[in-house]
PDB file of all heavy atoms in Angstrom:
ATOM      1  N   ILE A 183      85.438  45.717  35.526  1.00  0.00           N
ATOM      2  CA  ILE A 183      84.618  46.897  35.688  1.00  0.00           C
ATOM      3  C   ILE A 183      83.522  46.912  34.555  1.00  0.00           C
ATOM      4  O   ILE A 183      82.453  47.513  34.605  1.00  0.00           O
ATOM      5  CB  ILE A 183      85.436  48.220  35.666  1.00  0.00           C
ATOM      6  CG1 ILE A 183      84.548  49.414  36.060  1.00  0.00           C
ATOM      7  CG2 ILE A 183      86.120  48.484  34.351  1.00  0.00           C
ATOM      8  CD1 ILE A 183      83.809  49.261  37.405  1.00  0.00           C
ATOM      9  N   GLU A 186      79.844  46.343  35.160  1.00  0.00           N
ATOM     10  CA  GLU A 186      78.971  47.426  35.603  1.00  0.00           C
ATOM     11  C   GLU A 186      78.269  47.937  34.343  1.00  0.00           C
ATOM     12  O   GLU A 186      78.938  48.229  33.314  1.00  0.00           O
ATOM     13  CB  GLU A 186      79.850  48.512  36.242  1.00  0.00           C
ATOM     14  CG  GLU A 186      79.043  49.544  36.997  1.00  0.00           C
ATOM     15  CD  GLU A 186      78.339  50.634  36.168  1.00  0.00           C
ATOM     16  OE1 GLU A 186      78.854  50.967  35.164  1.00  0.00           O
ATOM     17  OE2 GLU A 186      77.277  51.104  36.566  1.00  0.00           O
ATOM     18  N   ASN A 200      84.813  52.895  31.179  1.00  0.00           N
ATOM     19  CA  ASN A 200      84.647  53.726  32.448  1.00  0.00           C
ATOM     20  C   ASN A 200      83.120  53.887  32.763  1.00  0.00           C
ATOM     21  O   ASN A 200      82.354  54.259  31.902  1.00  0.00           O
ATOM     22  CB  ASN A 200      85.170  55.137  32.251  1.00  0.00           C
ATOM     23  CG  ASN A 200      86.718  55.109  32.372  1.00  0.00           C
ATOM     24  OD1 ASN A 200      87.308  54.166  32.792  1.00  0.00           O
ATOM     25  ND2 ASN A 200      87.245  56.346  32.138  1.00  0.00           N
ATOM     26  N   PRO A 201      82.710  53.539  33.994  1.00  0.00           N
ATOM     27  CA  PRO A 201      81.260  53.762  34.370  1.00  0.00           C
ATOM     28  C   PRO A 201      80.872  55.217  34.151  1.00  0.00           C
ATOM     29  O   PRO A 201      81.613  56.184  34.343  1.00  0.00           O
ATOM     30  CB  PRO A 201      81.273  53.438  35.893  1.00  0.00           C
ATOM     31  CG  PRO A 201      82.415  52.521  36.056  1.00  0.00           C
ATOM     32  CD  PRO A 201      83.494  53.001  35.122  1.00  0.00           C
ATOM     33  N   GLU A 366      91.317  46.198  39.588  1.00  0.00           N
ATOM     34  CA  GLU A 366      90.257  46.365  38.717  1.00  0.00           C
ATOM     35  C   GLU A 366      89.578  47.706  38.718  1.00  0.00           C
ATOM     36  O   GLU A 366      88.699  48.096  37.945  1.00  0.00           O
ATOM     37  CB  GLU A 366      89.169  45.269  38.929  1.00  0.00           C
ATOM     38  CG  GLU A 366      89.621  43.856  38.746  1.00  0.00           C
ATOM     39  CD  GLU A 366      89.983  43.613  37.248  1.00  0.00           C
ATOM     40  OE1 GLU A 366      89.610  44.271  36.399  1.00  0.00           O
ATOM     41  OE2 GLU A 366      90.793  42.617  37.080  1.00  0.00           O
ATOM     42  N   SER A 367      90.018  48.589  39.641  1.00  0.00           N
ATOM     43  CA  SER A 367      89.387  49.966  39.788  1.00  0.00           C
ATOM     44  C   SER A 367      89.772  50.705  38.471  1.00  0.00           C
ATOM     45  O   SER A 367      90.916  50.611  38.000  1.00  0.00           O
ATOM     46  CB  SER A 367      90.048  50.696  40.950  1.00  0.00           C
ATOM     47  OG  SER A 367      89.744  52.070  40.900  1.00  0.00           O
ATOM     48  N   CYS A 368      88.793  51.431  37.904  1.00  0.00           N
ATOM     49  CA  CYS A 368      89.053  52.086  36.703  1.00  0.00           C
ATOM     50  C   CYS A 368      89.816  53.442  36.870  1.00  0.00           C
ATOM     51  O   CYS A 368      90.312  53.993  36.027  1.00  0.00           O
ATOM     52  CB  CYS A 368      87.715  52.390  35.941  1.00  0.00           C
ATOM     53  SG  CYS A 368      86.867  53.889  36.516  1.00  0.00           S
ATOM     54  N   GLY A 369      89.866  53.878  38.258  1.00  0.00           N
ATOM     55  CA  GLY A 369      90.595  55.027  38.528  1.00  0.00           C
ATOM     56  C   GLY A 369      89.895  56.338  38.441  1.00  0.00           C
ATOM     57  O   GLY A 369      90.571  57.365  38.683  1.00  0.00           O
ATOM     58  N   GLN A 370      88.646  56.395  38.126  1.00  0.00           N
ATOM     59  CA  GLN A 370      87.943  57.596  37.952  1.00  0.00           C
ATOM     60  C   GLN A 370      87.767  58.476  39.226  1.00  0.00           C
ATOM     61  O   GLN A 370      87.827  59.623  39.241  1.00  0.00           O
ATOM     62  CB  GLN A 370      86.587  57.449  37.295  1.00  0.00           C
ATOM     63  CG  GLN A 370      86.574  57.281  35.801  1.00  0.00           C
ATOM     64  CD  GLN A 370      85.140  57.393  35.262  1.00  0.00           C
ATOM     65  OE1 GLN A 370      84.805  58.352  34.697  1.00  0.00           O
ATOM     66  NE2 GLN A 370      84.350  56.364  35.502  1.00  0.00           N
ATOM     67  N   CYS A 371      87.372  57.622  40.322  1.00  0.00           N
ATOM     68  CA  CYS A 371      87.154  58.387  41.558  1.00  0.00           C
ATOM     69  C   CYS A 371      88.120  58.146  42.606  1.00  0.00           C
ATOM     70  O   CYS A 371      88.642  57.011  42.819  1.00  0.00           O
ATOM     71  CB  CYS A 371      85.746  58.189  42.175  1.00  0.00           C
ATOM     72  SG  CYS A 371      84.834  56.846  41.491  1.00  0.00           S
ATOM     73  N   THR A 372      88.565  59.244  43.329  1.00  0.00           N
ATOM     74  CA  THR A 372      89.605  59.159  44.214  1.00  0.00           C
ATOM     75  C   THR A 372      89.434  58.162  45.372  1.00  0.00           C
ATOM     76  O   THR A 372      90.387  57.352  45.660  1.00  0.00           O
ATOM     77  CB  THR A 372      89.891  60.594  44.881  1.00  0.00           C
ATOM     78  OG1 THR A 372      89.953  61.535  43.695  1.00  0.00           O
ATOM     79  CG2 THR A 372      91.122  60.548  45.682  1.00  0.00           C
ATOM     80  N   CYS A 374      87.937  55.347  45.472  1.00  0.00           N
ATOM     81  CA  CYS A 374      88.131  53.977  45.017  1.00  0.00           C
ATOM     82  C   CYS A 374      89.585  53.779  44.541  1.00  0.00           C
ATOM     83  O   CYS A 374      90.245  52.829  44.930  1.00  0.00           O
ATOM     84  CB  CYS A 374      87.116  53.643  43.956  1.00  0.00           C
ATOM     85  SG  CYS A 374      87.406  52.170  43.062  1.00  0.00           S
ATOM     86  N   ARG A 375      90.030  54.702  43.719  1.00  0.00           N
ATOM     87  CA  ARG A 375      91.427  54.533  43.174  1.00  0.00           C
ATOM     88  C   ARG A 375      92.478  54.526  44.284  1.00  0.00           C
ATOM     89  O   ARG A 375      93.309  53.650  44.259  1.00  0.00           O
ATOM     90  CB  ARG A 375      91.705  55.777  42.176  1.00  0.00           C
ATOM     91  CG  ARG A 375      93.064  55.685  41.504  1.00  0.00           C
ATOM     92  CD  ARG A 375      93.272  56.961  40.679  1.00  0.00           C
ATOM     93  NE  ARG A 375      93.382  58.129  41.608  1.00  0.00           N
ATOM     94  CZ  ARG A 375      92.593  59.194  41.529  1.00  0.00           C
ATOM     95  NH1 ARG A 375      91.683  59.264  40.588  1.00  0.00           N
ATOM     96  NH2 ARG A 375      92.723  60.185  42.378  1.00  0.00           N
ATOM     97  N   THR A 378      91.354  51.636  47.580  1.00  0.00           N
ATOM     98  CA  THR A 378      91.549  50.218  47.357  1.00  0.00           C
ATOM     99  C   THR A 378      93.075  49.897  47.484  1.00  0.00           C
ATOM    100  O   THR A 378      93.403  48.873  48.048  1.00  0.00           O
ATOM    101  CB  THR A 378      91.023  49.758  46.012  1.00  0.00           C
ATOM    102  OG1 THR A 378      91.559  50.579  44.950  1.00  0.00           O
ATOM    103  CG2 THR A 378      89.449  49.861  45.939  1.00  0.00           C
ATOM    104  N   THR A 412      81.400  56.905  45.647  1.00  0.00           N
ATOM    105  CA  THR A 412      81.999  56.615  44.315  1.00  0.00           C
ATOM    106  C   THR A 412      80.944  56.631  43.162  1.00  0.00           C
ATOM    107  O   THR A 412      79.764  56.580  43.473  1.00  0.00           O
ATOM    108  CB  THR A 412      82.713  55.315  44.295  1.00  0.00           C
ATOM    109  OG1 THR A 412      81.831  54.256  44.732  1.00  0.00           O
ATOM    110  CG2 THR A 412      83.890  55.311  45.274  1.00  0.00           C
ATOM    111  N   ILE A 413      81.503  56.660  42.006  1.00  0.00           N
ATOM    112  CA  ILE A 413      80.549  56.723  40.816  1.00  0.00           C
ATOM    113  C   ILE A 413      79.779  55.385  40.667  1.00  0.00           C
ATOM    114  O   ILE A 413      78.604  55.422  40.407  1.00  0.00           O
ATOM    115  CB  ILE A 413      81.322  57.067  39.531  1.00  0.00           C
ATOM    116  CG1 ILE A 413      81.903  58.467  39.586  1.00  0.00           C
ATOM    117  CG2 ILE A 413      80.455  56.835  38.317  1.00  0.00           C
ATOM    118  CD1 ILE A 413      82.875  58.865  38.468  1.00  0.00           C
ATOM    119  N   CYS A 414      80.545  54.346  40.840  1.00  0.00           N
ATOM    120  CA  CYS A 414      79.856  53.056  40.571  1.00  0.00           C
ATOM    121  C   CYS A 414      80.003  52.099  41.804  1.00  0.00           C
ATOM    122  O   CYS A 414      80.745  52.426  42.737  1.00  0.00           O
ATOM    123  CB  CYS A 414      80.465  52.426  39.355  1.00  0.00           C
ATOM    124  SG  CYS A 414      81.882  51.401  39.606  1.00  0.00           S
ATOM    125  N   PRO A 415      79.262  51.023  41.768  1.00  0.00           N
ATOM    126  CA  PRO A 415      79.335  50.100  42.957  1.00  0.00           C
ATOM    127  C   PRO A 415      80.607  49.379  43.224  1.00  0.00           C
ATOM    128  O   PRO A 415      80.714  48.619  44.253  1.00  0.00           O
ATOM    129  CB  PRO A 415      78.179  49.087  42.717  1.00  0.00           C
ATOM    130  CG  PRO A 415      77.486  49.569  41.492  1.00  0.00           C
ATOM    131  CD  PRO A 415      78.347  50.464  40.798  1.00  0.00           C
ATOM    132  N   LEU A 416      81.663  49.478  42.377  1.00  0.00           N
ATOM    133  CA  LEU A 416      82.917  48.788  42.685  1.00  0.00           C
ATOM    134  C   LEU A 416      83.515  49.266  43.979  1.00  0.00           C
ATOM    135  O   LEU A 416      84.046  48.565  44.742  1.00  0.00           O
ATOM    136  CB  LEU A 416      83.954  48.988  41.571  1.00  0.00           C
ATOM    137  CG  LEU A 416      85.168  48.088  41.731  1.00  0.00           C
ATOM    138  CD1 LEU A 416      85.592  47.557  40.309  1.00  0.00           C
ATOM    139  CD2 LEU A 416      86.294  48.840  42.397  1.00  0.00           C
ATOM    140  N   GLY A 417      83.302  50.586  44.278  1.00  0.00           N
ATOM    141  CA  GLY A 417      83.836  51.098  45.502  1.00  0.00           C
ATOM    142  C   GLY A 417      83.273  50.384  46.734  1.00  0.00           C
ATOM    143  O   GLY A 417      83.875  49.910  47.645  1.00  0.00           O
ATOM    144  N   ASP A 418      81.865  50.300  46.757  1.00  0.00           N
ATOM    145  CA  ASP A 418      81.116  49.542  47.809  1.00  0.00           C
ATOM    146  C   ASP A 418      81.635  48.086  47.855  1.00  0.00           C
ATOM    147  O   ASP A 418      81.895  47.505  48.940  1.00  0.00           O
ATOM    148  CB  ASP A 418      79.666  49.569  47.574  1.00  0.00           C
ATOM    149  CG  ASP A 418      79.093  50.943  47.683  1.00  0.00           C
ATOM    150  OD1 ASP A 418      79.793  51.835  48.227  1.00  0.00           O
ATOM    151  OD2 ASP A 418      77.932  51.204  47.206  1.00  0.00           O
TER     152      ASP A 418
HETATM  153 FE1  LIG B  24      85.957  53.563  38.647  1.00  0.00          FE
HETATM  154 FE2  LIG B  24      86.096  52.697  41.167  1.00  0.00          FE
HETATM  155 FE3  LIG B  24      84.951  54.978  40.616  1.00  0.00          FE
HETATM  156 FE4  LIG B  24      83.822  52.651  39.861  1.00  0.00          FE
HETATM  157  S1  LIG B  24      84.105  53.308  41.957  1.00  0.00           S
HETATM  158  S2  LIG B  24      84.040  54.520  38.740  1.00  0.00           S
HETATM  159  S3  LIG B  24      85.574  51.467  39.385  1.00  0.00           S
HETATM  160  S4  LIG B  24      87.102  54.454  40.377  1.00  0.00           S
END
Side-chain angles (χ1 to χ4, degrees):
I183 192 57
E186 195 281 329
N200 280 354
E366 297 297 339
S367 167
C368 83
Q370 277 193 106
C371 11
T372 309
C374 172
R375 184 187 62 238
T378 54
T412 56
I413 294 173
C414 89
L416 189 143
D418 294 344

